[in-house]
Amino acid sequence: KKILKLAVDRNKFKRRVRSTIMSYRDLINNNIDFVVIAKKGVDGADFAIIKKDVVSGLKKLGIFRNA
């Protein structure tokens, strides 16, 4: 079931997640693929909240080299 119903909103979310991951690419271990699944509540989230949640998730997974 789609959390973000409109393609515009899904694409905006994907761009924001991709931008966050790319801004930390120097700290991320190489050869890693990402799958991000949006959950309820993401439809009203602004960029700062999405960035905070993505970084928090990456730290919990131990993906950062210096984590």
Side-chain angles (χ1 to χ4, degrees):
K1 186 174 179 179
K2 293 180 182 175
I3 300 298
L4 298 169
K5 306 237 185 256
L6 298 177
V8 166
D9 294 332
R10 289 192 302 273
N11 292 335
K12 184 176 182 181
F13 175 75
K14 285 190 273 187
R15 283 193 309 270
R16 288 177 173 189
V17 170
R18 191 178 303 122
S19 172
T20 300
I21 291 172
M22 292 305 290
S23 68
Y24 287 97
R25 69 177 166 228
D26 294 336
L27 299 175
I28 294 174
N29 294 325
N30 295 332
N31 301 322
I32 294 178
D33 294 327
F34 295 96
V35 176
V36 179
I37 299 172
K39 294 195 174 186
K40 289 182 182 178
V42 76
D43 55 347
D46 63 349
F47 184 69
I49 293 171
I50 293 172
K51 185 173 183 174
K52 180 183 70 95
D53 289 344
V54 169
V55 170
S56 173
L58 293 176
K59 285 181 181 177
K60 285 181 185 177
L61 292 171
I63 291 176
F64 285 128
R65 288 188 191 137
N66 299 329

Short mmCIF file of all heavy atoms in Angstrom, two decimals:
data_model
loop_
_atom_site.label_atom_id
_atom_site.label_comp_id
_atom_site.label_asym_id
_atom_site.label_seq_id
_atom_site.Cartn_x
_atom_site.Cartn_y
_atom_site.Cartn_z
N LYS A 1 0.85 -1.18 0.00
CA LYS A 1 0.00 0.00 0.00
C LYS A 1 0.89 1.24 0.00
O LYS A 1 1.85 1.32 0.75
CB LYS A 1 -0.90 -0.03 1.23
CG LYS A 1 -1.91 1.06 1.24
CD LYS A 1 -2.86 0.89 2.41
CE LYS A 1 -3.84 2.02 2.39
NZ LYS A 1 -4.79 1.92 3.46
N LYS A 2 0.54 2.20 -0.81
CA LYS A 2 1.36 3.39 -0.95
C LYS A 2 1.09 4.36 0.20
O LYS A 2 -0.06 4.70 0.50
CB LYS A 2 1.07 4.09 -2.27
CG LYS A 2 1.50 3.28 -3.47
CD LYS A 2 1.19 4.00 -4.75
CE LYS A 2 1.58 3.13 -5.92
NZ LYS A 2 1.20 3.72 -7.18
N ILE A 3 2.15 4.81 0.82
CA ILE A 3 2.05 5.83 1.86
C ILE A 3 1.89 7.20 1.20
O ILE A 3 1.08 8.01 1.60
CB ILE A 3 3.29 5.80 2.77
CG1 ILE A 3 3.44 4.44 3.45
CG2 ILE A 3 3.23 6.92 3.79
CD1 ILE A 3 2.30 4.05 4.35
N LEU A 4 2.71 7.45 0.21
CA LEU A 4 2.64 8.70 -0.54
C LEU A 4 1.88 8.41 -1.83
O LEU A 4 2.38 7.74 -2.73
CB LEU A 4 4.04 9.22 -0.84
CG LEU A 4 4.88 9.55 0.39
CD1 LEU A 4 6.32 9.80 0.00
CD2 LEU A 4 4.31 10.74 1.12
N LYS A 5 0.68 8.89 -1.93
CA LYS A 5 -0.21 8.53 -3.03
C LYS A 5 0.17 9.17 -4.36
O LYS A 5 0.07 8.55 -5.41
CB LYS A 5 -1.64 8.89 -2.67
CG LYS A 5 -2.08 8.29 -1.35
CD LYS A 5 -3.29 7.48 -1.50
CE LYS A 5 -3.77 7.01 -0.14
NZ LYS A 5 -3.47 5.64 0.10
N LEU A 6 0.63 10.40 -4.33
CA LEU A 6 0.96 11.11 -5.57
C LEU A 6 2.42 10.87 -5.96
O LEU A 6 3.32 10.88 -5.11
CB LEU A 6 0.73 12.61 -5.40
CG LEU A 6 -0.71 13.04 -5.11
CD1 LEU A 6 -0.75 14.54 -4.90
CD2 LEU A 6 -1.63 12.64 -6.25
N ALA A 7 2.66 10.66 -7.24
CA ALA A 7 4.01 10.44 -7.74
C ALA A 7 4.92 11.62 -7.43
O ALA A 7 6.10 11.43 -7.13
CB ALA A 7 3.98 10.18 -9.24
N VAL A 8 4.37 12.80 -7.45
CA VAL A 8 5.15 14.01 -7.13
C VAL A 8 5.71 13.91 -5.71
O VAL A 8 6.88 14.21 -5.47
CB VAL A 8 4.27 15.27 -7.28
CG1 VAL A 8 4.91 16.47 -6.65
CG2 VAL A 8 3.98 15.53 -8.74
N ASP A 9 4.89 13.47 -4.78
CA ASP A 9 5.33 13.35 -3.38
C ASP A 9 6.34 12.22 -3.21
O ASP A 9 7.31 12.35 -2.47
CB ASP A 9 4.12 13.13 -2.48
CG ASP A 9 3.20 14.34 -2.45
OD1 ASP A 9 3.68 15.46 -2.66
OD2 ASP A 9 1.98 14.15 -2.23
N ARG A 10 6.11 11.10 -3.89
CA ARG A 10 7.07 9.98 -3.81
C ARG A 10 8.43 10.39 -4.37
O ARG A 10 9.47 10.09 -3.78
CB ARG A 10 6.53 8.77 -4.57
CG ARG A 10 5.37 8.09 -3.89
CD ARG A 10 5.05 6.74 -4.51
NE ARG A 10 4.74 6.80 -5.94
CZ ARG A 10 3.54 7.02 -6.45
NH1 ARG A 10 2.50 7.23 -5.65
NH2 ARG A 10 3.35 7.04 -7.76
N ASN A 11 8.42 11.09 -5.50
CA ASN A 11 9.68 11.54 -6.10
C ASN A 11 10.40 12.55 -5.23
O ASN A 11 11.62 12.52 -5.12
CB ASN A 11 9.43 12.11 -7.49
CG ASN A 11 8.99 11.04 -8.47
OD1 ASN A 11 9.30 9.87 -8.29
ND2 ASN A 11 8.26 11.45 -9.49
N LYS A 12 9.64 13.44 -4.61
CA LYS A 12 10.23 14.44 -3.71
C LYS A 12 10.90 13.75 -2.53
O LYS A 12 12.02 14.10 -2.15
CB LYS A 12 9.13 15.39 -3.21
CG LYS A 12 9.60 16.52 -2.36
CD LYS A 12 8.42 17.42 -2.02
CE LYS A 12 8.81 18.60 -1.20
NZ LYS A 12 7.65 19.44 -0.88
N PHE A 13 10.24 12.74 -1.96
CA PHE A 13 10.80 11.97 -0.85
C PHE A 13 12.08 11.27 -1.30
O PHE A 13 13.10 11.30 -0.61
CB PHE A 13 9.78 10.97 -0.33
CG PHE A 13 10.32 10.06 0.73
CD1 PHE A 13 10.52 10.53 2.01
CD2 PHE A 13 10.62 8.74 0.45
CE1 PHE A 13 11.02 9.70 3.00
CE2 PHE A 13 11.12 7.91 1.42
CZ PHE A 13 11.32 8.38 2.70
N LYS A 14 12.06 10.63 -2.47
CA LYS A 14 13.24 9.92 -2.97
C LYS A 14 14.41 10.88 -3.20
O LYS A 14 15.55 10.55 -2.88
CB LYS A 14 12.91 9.20 -4.27
CG LYS A 14 12.09 7.95 -4.07
CD LYS A 14 11.99 7.14 -5.36
CE LYS A 14 10.85 7.63 -6.19
NZ LYS A 14 10.59 6.77 -7.37
N ARG A 15 14.12 12.06 -3.74
CA ARG A 15 15.18 13.05 -3.96
C ARG A 15 15.80 13.48 -2.64
O ARG A 15 17.03 13.65 -2.54
CB ARG A 15 14.65 14.27 -4.70
CG ARG A 15 14.45 14.06 -6.17
CD ARG A 15 14.22 15.38 -6.91
NE ARG A 15 13.19 16.20 -6.31
CZ ARG A 15 11.90 16.17 -6.62
NH1 ARG A 15 11.47 15.31 -7.53
NH2 ARG A 15 11.04 16.97 -6.04
N ARG A 16 14.98 13.67 -1.63
CA ARG A 16 15.49 14.11 -0.33
C ARG A 16 16.33 13.02 0.33
O ARG A 16 17.39 13.31 0.90
CB ARG A 16 14.34 14.53 0.58
CG ARG A 16 13.72 15.82 0.13
CD ARG A 16 12.54 16.22 0.96
NE ARG A 16 12.10 17.56 0.59
CZ ARG A 16 11.20 18.23 1.25
NH1 ARG A 16 10.61 17.72 2.30
NH2 ARG A 16 10.87 19.45 0.85
N VAL A 17 15.90 11.78 0.26
CA VAL A 17 16.68 10.69 0.84
C VAL A 17 17.99 10.53 0.08
O VAL A 17 19.06 10.39 0.68
CB VAL A 17 15.86 9.37 0.83
CG1 VAL A 17 16.74 8.19 1.19
CG2 VAL A 17 14.68 9.47 1.79
N ARG A 18 17.92 10.56 -1.23
CA ARG A 18 19.12 10.42 -2.06
C ARG A 18 20.11 11.55 -1.77
O ARG A 18 21.31 11.32 -1.65
CB ARG A 18 18.73 10.42 -3.54
CG ARG A 18 19.84 10.03 -4.46
CD ARG A 18 19.41 9.98 -5.93
NE ARG A 18 18.28 9.08 -6.13
CZ ARG A 18 17.12 9.46 -6.66
NH1 ARG A 18 16.92 10.70 -7.05
NH2 ARG A 18 16.15 8.58 -6.82
N SER A 19 19.61 12.76 -1.62
CA SER A 19 20.46 13.91 -1.33
C SER A 19 21.16 13.74 0.02
O SER A 19 22.35 14.05 0.15
CB SER A 19 19.62 15.19 -1.34
OG SER A 19 20.37 16.27 -0.89
N THR A 20 20.43 13.25 1.00
CA THR A 20 21.03 13.04 2.32
C THR A 20 22.13 11.99 2.25
O THR A 20 23.22 12.20 2.79
CB THR A 20 19.94 12.59 3.32
OG1 THR A 20 18.95 13.61 3.42
CG2 THR A 20 20.53 12.33 4.68
N ILE A 21 21.86 10.89 1.60
CA ILE A 21 22.87 9.83 1.50
C ILE A 21 24.08 10.32 0.73
O ILE A 21 25.23 10.05 1.12
CB ILE A 21 22.25 8.57 0.86
CG1 ILE A 21 21.24 7.95 1.84
CG2 ILE A 21 23.34 7.56 0.50
CD1 ILE A 21 20.44 6.82 1.26
N MET A 22 23.87 11.06 -0.34
CA MET A 22 25.00 11.57 -1.12
C MET A 22 25.83 12.59 -0.35
O MET A 22 27.04 12.67 -0.54
CB MET A 22 24.51 12.17 -2.44
CG MET A 22 23.93 11.14 -3.40
SD MET A 22 25.05 9.80 -3.79
CE MET A 22 26.26 10.66 -4.78
N SER A 23 25.21 13.35 0.53
CA SER A 23 25.96 14.33 1.31
C SER A 23 26.88 13.66 2.34
O SER A 23 27.84 14.26 2.79
CB SER A 23 25.03 15.31 2.00
OG SER A 23 24.28 14.68 3.01
N TYR A 24 26.61 12.41 2.67
CA TYR A 24 27.43 11.66 3.61
C TYR A 24 28.23 10.55 2.93
O TYR A 24 28.75 9.66 3.60
CB TYR A 24 26.55 11.04 4.71
CG TYR A 24 26.02 12.05 5.68
CD1 TYR A 24 24.74 12.57 5.54
CD2 TYR A 24 26.79 12.50 6.75
CE1 TYR A 24 24.25 13.51 6.43
CE2 TYR A 24 26.31 13.43 7.64
CZ TYR A 24 25.04 13.93 7.47
OH TYR A 24 24.56 14.87 8.35
N ARG A 25 28.37 10.59 1.62
CA ARG A 25 29.00 9.48 0.90
C ARG A 25 30.45 9.25 1.29
O ARG A 25 30.96 8.14 1.19
CB ARG A 25 28.87 9.67 -0.60
CG ARG A 25 29.68 10.79 -1.14
CD ARG A 25 29.57 10.89 -2.66
NE ARG A 25 30.09 12.18 -3.06
CZ ARG A 25 29.49 13.00 -3.88
NH1 ARG A 25 28.37 12.63 -4.43
NH2 ARG A 25 30.01 14.16 -4.18
N ASP A 26 31.15 10.28 1.77
CA ASP A 26 32.54 10.10 2.20
C ASP A 26 32.64 9.30 3.49
O ASP A 26 33.68 8.71 3.77
CB ASP A 26 33.23 11.45 2.38
CG ASP A 26 33.37 12.21 1.06
OD1 ASP A 26 33.36 11.55 0.00
OD2 ASP A 26 33.46 13.44 1.09
N LEU A 27 31.58 9.30 4.28
CA LEU A 27 31.58 8.58 5.55
C LEU A 27 30.93 7.20 5.48
O LEU A 27 30.96 6.44 6.44
CB LEU A 27 30.82 9.40 6.61
CG LEU A 27 31.40 10.78 6.94
CD1 LEU A 27 30.49 11.50 7.91
CD2 LEU A 27 32.79 10.64 7.52
N ILE A 28 30.34 6.87 4.33
CA ILE A 28 29.63 5.61 4.18
C ILE A 28 30.55 4.57 3.58
O ILE A 28 31.30 4.84 2.65
CB ILE A 28 28.38 5.80 3.30
CG1 ILE A 28 27.38 6.72 4.00
CG2 ILE A 28 27.72 4.47 2.97
CD1 ILE A 28 26.18 7.09 3.17
N ASN A 29 30.49 3.36 4.13
CA ASN A 29 31.28 2.25 3.58
C ASN A 29 30.92 2.03 2.12
O ASN A 29 29.78 2.20 1.72
CB ASN A 29 31.01 0.97 4.38
CG ASN A 29 31.51 1.06 5.80
OD1 ASN A 29 32.54 1.68 6.06
ND2 ASN A 29 30.79 0.47 6.72
N ASN A 30 31.90 1.61 1.36
CA ASN A 30 31.69 1.38 -0.08
C ASN A 30 30.91 0.09 -0.33
O ASN A 30 30.77 -0.75 0.54
CB ASN A 30 33.04 1.29 -0.79
CG ASN A 30 33.79 2.61 -0.73
OD1 ASN A 30 33.19 3.66 -0.65
ND2 ASN A 30 35.10 2.53 -0.75
N ASN A 31 30.41 -0.04 -1.53
CA ASN A 31 29.71 -1.25 -1.99
C ASN A 31 28.46 -1.57 -1.18
O ASN A 31 28.22 -2.72 -0.84
CB ASN A 31 30.66 -2.45 -2.00
CG ASN A 31 31.85 -2.22 -2.90
OD1 ASN A 31 31.72 -1.62 -3.96
ND2 ASN A 31 33.01 -2.66 -2.48
N ILE A 32 27.70 -0.57 -0.86
CA ILE A 32 26.45 -0.77 -0.12
C ILE A 32 25.30 -0.23 -0.96
O ILE A 32 25.37 0.86 -1.51
CB ILE A 32 26.48 -0.04 1.24
CG1 ILE A 32 27.53 -0.68 2.14
CG2 ILE A 32 25.13 -0.09 1.90
CD1 ILE A 32 27.67 -0.01 3.48
N ASP A 33 24.26 -1.03 -1.08
CA ASP A 33 23.03 -0.60 -1.72
C ASP A 33 22.01 -0.30 -0.64
O ASP A 33 22.01 -0.93 0.42
CB ASP A 33 22.48 -1.69 -2.64
CG ASP A 33 23.39 -1.96 -3.83
OD1 ASP A 33 24.03 -1.00 -4.30
OD2 ASP A 33 23.45 -3.11 -4.26
N PHE A 34 21.13 0.66 -0.91
CA PHE A 34 20.13 1.06 0.07
C PHE A 34 18.72 0.80 -0.45
O PHE A 34 18.44 1.00 -1.63
CB PHE A 34 20.23 2.57 0.36
CG PHE A 34 21.53 2.96 1.03
CD1 PHE A 34 22.58 3.44 0.28
CD2 PHE A 34 21.67 2.83 2.39
CE1 PHE A 34 23.77 3.80 0.88
CE2 PHE A 34 22.85 3.19 3.00
CZ PHE A 34 23.90 3.67 2.25
N VAL A 35 17.88 0.36 0.44
CA VAL A 35 16.45 0.26 0.18
C VAL A 35 15.77 1.01 1.31
O VAL A 35 15.92 0.65 2.48
CB VAL A 35 15.96 -1.21 0.14
CG1 VAL A 35 14.45 -1.25 -0.03
CG2 VAL A 35 16.66 -1.97 -0.96
N VAL A 36 15.06 2.06 0.97
CA VAL A 36 14.38 2.88 1.98
C VAL A 36 12.89 2.69 1.81
O VAL A 36 12.35 2.83 0.72
CB VAL A 36 14.75 4.38 1.81
CG1 VAL A 36 14.02 5.22 2.83
CG2 VAL A 36 16.25 4.56 1.92
N ILE A 37 12.24 2.34 2.90
CA ILE A 37 10.80 2.13 2.89
C ILE A 37 10.16 3.22 3.74
O ILE A 37 10.48 3.36 4.92
CB ILE A 37 10.44 0.74 3.42
CG1 ILE A 37 11.08 -0.32 2.53
CG2 ILE A 37 8.93 0.57 3.49
CD1 ILE A 37 10.96 -1.72 3.05
N ALA A 38 9.27 3.98 3.13
CA ALA A 38 8.60 5.07 3.84
C ALA A 38 7.49 4.50 4.72
O ALA A 38 6.79 3.57 4.34
CB ALA A 38 8.02 6.06 2.85
N LYS A 39 7.36 5.07 5.90
CA LYS A 39 6.29 4.68 6.81
C LYS A 39 5.33 5.84 6.99
O LYS A 39 5.60 6.96 6.56
CB LYS A 39 6.88 4.26 8.15
CG LYS A 39 7.72 3.00 8.03
CD LYS A 39 8.00 2.40 9.36
CE LYS A 39 8.71 1.08 9.16
NZ LYS A 39 8.89 0.38 10.40
N LYS A 40 4.23 5.57 7.64
CA LYS A 40 3.23 6.61 7.86
C LYS A 40 3.84 7.81 8.56
O LYS A 40 4.70 7.67 9.42
CB LYS A 40 2.08 6.06 8.70
CG LYS A 40 1.23 5.07 7.96
CD LYS A 40 0.08 4.61 8.81
CE LYS A 40 -0.73 3.58 8.05
NZ LYS A 40 -1.84 3.06 8.86
N GLY A 41 3.39 8.98 8.19
CA GLY A 41 3.88 10.21 8.79
C GLY A 41 4.93 10.92 7.96
O GLY A 41 5.28 12.06 8.23
N VAL A 42 5.44 10.25 6.94
CA VAL A 42 6.48 10.86 6.12
C VAL A 42 5.88 11.88 5.14
O VAL A 42 6.60 12.75 4.63
CB VAL A 42 7.29 9.78 5.38
CG1 VAL A 42 6.50 9.22 4.22
CG2 VAL A 42 8.61 10.32 4.90
N ASP A 43 4.60 11.82 4.91
CA ASP A 43 3.97 12.70 3.93
C ASP A 43 4.04 14.17 4.33
O ASP A 43 4.09 15.03 3.47
CB ASP A 43 2.52 12.28 3.66
CG ASP A 43 1.69 12.19 4.91
OD1 ASP A 43 2.25 12.21 6.02
OD2 ASP A 43 0.46 12.08 4.78
N GLY A 44 4.09 14.49 5.59
CA GLY A 44 4.15 15.88 6.02
C GLY A 44 5.52 16.31 6.50
O GLY A 44 5.70 17.42 6.96
N ALA A 45 6.51 15.42 6.39
CA ALA A 45 7.84 15.70 6.93
C ALA A 45 8.61 16.65 6.02
O ALA A 45 8.57 16.53 4.81
CB ALA A 45 8.62 14.39 7.09
N ASP A 46 9.33 17.56 6.65
CA ASP A 46 10.18 18.45 5.86
C ASP A 46 11.58 17.84 5.74
O ASP A 46 11.87 16.79 6.31
CB ASP A 46 10.22 19.86 6.45
CG ASP A 46 10.84 19.92 7.84
OD1 ASP A 46 11.04 18.85 8.44
OD2 ASP A 46 11.10 21.03 8.32
N PHE A 47 12.44 18.50 5.00
CA PHE A 47 13.75 17.95 4.68
C PHE A 47 14.58 17.69 5.93
O PHE A 47 15.27 16.67 6.03
CB PHE A 47 14.50 18.88 3.73
CG PHE A 47 15.83 18.34 3.29
CD1 PHE A 47 15.90 17.25 2.46
CD2 PHE A 47 17.00 18.93 3.71
CE1 PHE A 47 17.13 16.74 2.05
CE2 PHE A 47 18.23 18.44 3.30
CZ PHE A 47 18.29 17.34 2.48
N ALA A 48 14.54 18.57 6.91
CA ALA A 48 15.34 18.41 8.12
C ALA A 48 14.96 17.15 8.88
O ALA A 48 15.83 16.42 9.38
CB ALA A 48 15.18 19.64 9.02
N ILE A 49 13.69 16.84 8.95
CA ILE A 49 13.23 15.65 9.65
C ILE A 49 13.64 14.39 8.90
O ILE A 49 14.12 13.42 9.49
CB ILE A 49 11.70 15.69 9.85
CG1 ILE A 49 11.34 16.82 10.80
CG2 ILE A 49 11.17 14.36 10.36
CD1 ILE A 49 9.86 17.10 10.91
N ILE A 50 13.48 14.40 7.58
CA ILE A 50 13.88 13.25 6.78
C ILE A 50 15.38 13.02 6.91
O ILE A 50 15.83 11.89 7.10
CB ILE A 50 13.48 13.44 5.30
CG1 ILE A 50 11.95 13.43 5.18
CG2 ILE A 50 14.10 12.38 4.41
CD1 ILE A 50 11.43 13.80 3.81
N LYS A 51 16.16 14.09 6.84
CA LYS A 51 17.61 13.96 6.96
C LYS A 51 18.01 13.40 8.31
O LYS A 51 18.84 12.49 8.39
CB LYS A 51 18.27 15.33 6.74
CG LYS A 51 19.77 15.29 6.71
CD LYS A 51 20.35 16.63 6.32
CE LYS A 51 21.85 16.55 6.22
NZ LYS A 51 22.44 17.77 5.71
N LYS A 52 17.39 13.88 9.37
CA LYS A 52 17.69 13.40 10.72
C LYS A 52 17.38 11.91 10.84
O LYS A 52 18.16 11.14 11.39
CB LYS A 52 16.91 14.20 11.76
CG LYS A 52 17.14 13.76 13.19
CD LYS A 52 16.28 14.55 14.16
CE LYS A 52 14.84 14.18 14.02
NZ LYS A 52 14.29 13.19 14.89
N ASP A 53 16.24 11.50 10.31
CA ASP A 53 15.83 10.10 10.39
C ASP A 53 16.73 9.19 9.56
O ASP A 53 17.08 8.08 9.99
CB ASP A 53 14.38 9.94 9.96
CG ASP A 53 13.40 10.52 10.96
OD1 ASP A 53 13.80 10.77 12.11
OD2 ASP A 53 12.23 10.72 10.59
N VAL A 54 17.13 9.64 8.39
CA VAL A 54 18.02 8.84 7.54
C VAL A 54 19.38 8.68 8.21
O VAL A 54 19.92 7.57 8.29
CB VAL A 54 18.16 9.46 6.13
CG1 VAL A 54 19.28 8.79 5.35
CG2 VAL A 54 16.85 9.35 5.37
N VAL A 55 19.93 9.75 8.72
CA VAL A 55 21.24 9.69 9.38
C VAL A 55 21.16 8.80 10.62
O VAL A 55 22.06 7.99 10.87
CB VAL A 55 21.74 11.11 9.73
CG1 VAL A 55 22.96 11.06 10.63
CG2 VAL A 55 22.05 11.88 8.47
N SER A 56 20.09 8.92 11.38
CA SER A 56 19.90 8.08 12.55
C SER A 56 19.86 6.61 12.17
O SER A 56 20.48 5.76 12.82
CB SER A 56 18.61 8.49 13.27
OG SER A 56 18.32 7.60 14.30
N GLY A 57 19.13 6.29 11.10
CA GLY A 57 19.06 4.91 10.63
C GLY A 57 20.40 4.38 10.17
O GLY A 57 20.76 3.23 10.46
N LEU A 58 21.16 5.21 9.47
CA LEU A 58 22.49 4.79 9.01
C LEU A 58 23.42 4.53 10.18
O LEU A 58 24.20 3.57 10.18
CB LEU A 58 23.09 5.84 8.08
CG LEU A 58 22.39 6.05 6.74
CD1 LEU A 58 23.03 7.20 5.99
CD2 LEU A 58 22.39 4.79 5.91
N LYS A 59 23.34 5.36 11.22
CA LYS A 59 24.17 5.16 12.41
C LYS A 59 23.78 3.87 13.13
O LYS A 59 24.65 3.12 13.58
CB LYS A 59 24.04 6.35 13.36
CG LYS A 59 24.78 7.57 12.87
CD LYS A 59 24.64 8.72 13.84
CE LYS A 59 25.37 9.95 13.33
NZ LYS A 59 25.21 11.10 14.23
N LYS A 60 22.48 3.62 13.25
CA LYS A 60 22.04 2.39 13.92
C LYS A 60 22.51 1.14 13.18
O LYS A 60 22.81 0.12 13.80
CB LYS A 60 20.51 2.36 14.01
CG LYS A 60 19.95 3.27 15.06
CD LYS A 60 18.44 3.16 15.10
CE LYS A 60 17.85 4.18 16.06
NZ LYS A 60 16.37 4.13 16.05
N LEU A 61 22.57 1.21 11.87
CA LEU A 61 23.01 0.08 11.06
C LEU A 61 24.54 -0.06 11.03
O LEU A 61 25.06 -1.06 10.55
CB LEU A 61 22.50 0.21 9.64
CG LEU A 61 20.98 0.06 9.48
CD1 LEU A 61 20.56 0.43 8.07
CD2 LEU A 61 20.55 -1.35 9.82
N GLY A 62 25.25 0.94 11.53
CA GLY A 62 26.71 0.88 11.53
C GLY A 62 27.31 1.05 10.15
O GLY A 62 28.37 0.50 9.86
N ILE A 63 26.66 1.82 9.31
CA ILE A 63 27.10 1.99 7.93
C ILE A 63 28.20 3.06 7.83
O ILE A 63 29.04 3.01 6.94
CB ILE A 63 25.90 2.31 7.02
CG1 ILE A 63 25.04 1.06 6.92
CG2 ILE A 63 26.33 2.79 5.65
CD1 ILE A 63 23.78 1.24 6.14
N PHE A 64 28.23 4.00 8.76
CA PHE A 64 29.28 5.02 8.73
C PHE A 64 30.60 4.41 9.11
O PHE A 64 30.70 3.57 10.00
CB PHE A 64 28.95 6.16 9.70
CG PHE A 64 27.87 7.08 9.22
CD1 PHE A 64 26.77 7.39 10.01
CD2 PHE A 64 27.92 7.67 7.96
CE1 PHE A 64 25.80 8.25 9.57
CE2 PHE A 64 26.94 8.53 7.51
CZ PHE A 64 25.88 8.81 8.33
N ARG A 65 31.66 4.83 8.45
CA ARG A 65 33.00 4.32 8.75
C ARG A 65 33.43 4.68 10.16
O ARG A 65 34.08 3.92 10.83
CB ARG A 65 34.02 4.89 7.76
CG ARG A 65 33.89 4.29 6.40
CD ARG A 65 35.04 4.75 5.52
NE ARG A 65 34.75 4.38 4.15
CZ ARG A 65 34.95 5.16 3.12
NH1 ARG A 65 35.48 6.34 3.27
NH2 ARG A 65 34.65 4.74 1.92
N ASN A 66 33.08 5.88 10.60
CA ASN A 66 33.52 6.36 11.92
C ASN A 66 32.41 6.23 12.97
O ASN A 66 32.43 6.94 13.95
CB ASN A 66 33.97 7.82 11.83
CG ASN A 66 35.13 7.99 10.89
OD1 ASN A 66 35.94 7.09 10.75
ND2 ASN A 66 35.23 9.12 10.24
N ALA A 67 31.46 5.35 12.75
CA ALA A 67 30.32 5.23 13.68
C ALA A 67 30.70 4.43 14.90
O ALA A 67 31.48 3.58 14.93
CB ALA A 67 29.13 4.59 12.99
#
